[in-house]
Amino acid sequence: MTTIAELILSTDEFALAKTLERLPDLTVRVESVVAEGPTRTMPLVWFSTDDPEDLEAALDADPSVDDHQCLLETAADGEWFYRLQYGEAVSSVCGSVYANGGTVLDAQVTDGQWTLRLLFPEREELSETVSAIENQGVRVDVRRMVEAGQDDDLETTAALTEPQQEAISEAYRQGYYDVPREISLEELADKLDISHQALSERLRRANRVLASEQLDDPSGELATD
């Protein structure tokens, strides 16, 4: 079933980190993304800034950007429309989305984080995309997810991805949550064939999703011991 999800990525691990570090007040909004094969990604981006010369200099110095071209100037509004060509690392992350049938609906930056709103024909393709991005050493937070035919308010819907479900289920079965623990995080990571850090991040995000569902549900009952 068609799934829409919001993914959160740090700018430090994705795109335009150095540009935003140099221009912290810069507003970034992706209009659309053009993918020319798995290693060439060219987004069309609106930048809001009062100093286009500083923007040009920042993009020139940003290692995540291989090339850039200003397509439209709206100086009166302080907005500048660019076509960017991302470097290999960023394109690999985007390629994971496209390789699994994903479409970028929109993307923007707030407080040092990218929010990507993606559409997938099947939920399994979202899970495969998250796993593929994490395997590149990039942390991904699936903030919201909803399936077609359900309430499409992404502000109020949350769910576990399949990798998160697998990790937390195996952790429970192996006694990771027992007191005392029956298995260490390192041993559990070996069983799941993922890195210690990737498992730690996956469990943390899964636990947060489950906790948020309880806190948002006034009838939910939290364990007290």
Side-chain angles (χ1 to χ4, degrees), residues 52-63:
E53 292 185 2
D54 272 358
L55 174 59
E56 283 280 331
L59 292 173
D60 283 338
D62 195 319

Side-chain angles (χ1 to χ4, degrees), residues 71-111:
L71 303 178
L72 180 64
E73 301 178 4
T74 58
D77 298 324
E79 291 194 326
W80 312 85
F81 192 48
Y82 271 78
R83 179 171 61 199
L84 305 181
Q85 181 179 329
Y86 283 143
E88 181 178 354
V90 177
S91 292
S92 294
V93 172
C94 296
S96 298
V97 176
Y98 307 131
N100 288 292
T103 300
V104 179
L105 298 179
D106 59 63
Q108 53 189 308
V109 178
T110 305
D111 298 329

Side-chain angles (χ1 to χ4, degrees), residues 7 9-10 12-15 38-39 41 87-100 116 127-140 194-195 197-198 202 205:
L7 270 59
L9 291 80
S10 169
D12 290 337
E13 296 181 339
F14 187 44
T39 61
T41 304
E88 181 178 354
V90 177
S91 292
S92 294
V93 172
C94 296
S96 298
V97 176
Y98 307 131
N100 288 292
L116 309 180
S127 298
E128 291 168 2
T129 297
V130 172
S131 295
I133 295 174
E134 289 180 332
N135 287 339
Q136 297 176 50
V138 177
R139 290 168 294 180
V140 183
I194 61 177
S195 70
Q197 180 179 355
R202 197 167 294 177
R205 290 193 295 271

Side-chain angles (χ1 to χ4, degrees), residues 214-225:
Q214 289 289 337
L215 292 172
D216 290 341
D217 180 4
S219 63
E221 296 181 359
L222 295 175
T224 57
D225 58 2

Side-chain angles (χ1 to χ4, degrees), residues 104-179:
V104 179
L105 298 179
D106 59 63
Q108 53 189 308
V109 178
T110 305
D111 298 329
Q113 292 183 323
W114 277 95
T115 299
L116 309 180
R117 192 166 182 264
L118 308 177
L119 180 146
F120 292 89
E122 300 291 340
R123 177 173 172 174
E124 290 76 12
E125 294 165 331
L126 166 62
S127 298
E128 291 168 2
T129 297
V130 172
S131 295
I133 295 174
E134 289 180 332
N135 287 339
Q136 297 176 50
V138 177
R139 290 168 294 180
V140 183
D141 185 357
V142 182
R143 185 65 55 83
R144 297 285 186 268
M145 181 170 63
V146 64
E147 293 182 345
Q150 299 179 357
D151 180 6
D152 61 358
D153 182 3
L154 291 179
E155 293 300 318
T156 59
T157 305
L160 296 178
T161 65
E162 288 189 6
Q164 292 170 355
Q165 180 68 52
E166 178 190 18
I168 204 166
S169 296
E170 189 65 18
Y172 181 82
R173 285 193 295 267
Q174 296 292 335
Y176 179 74
Y177 293 110
D178 292 352
V179 181

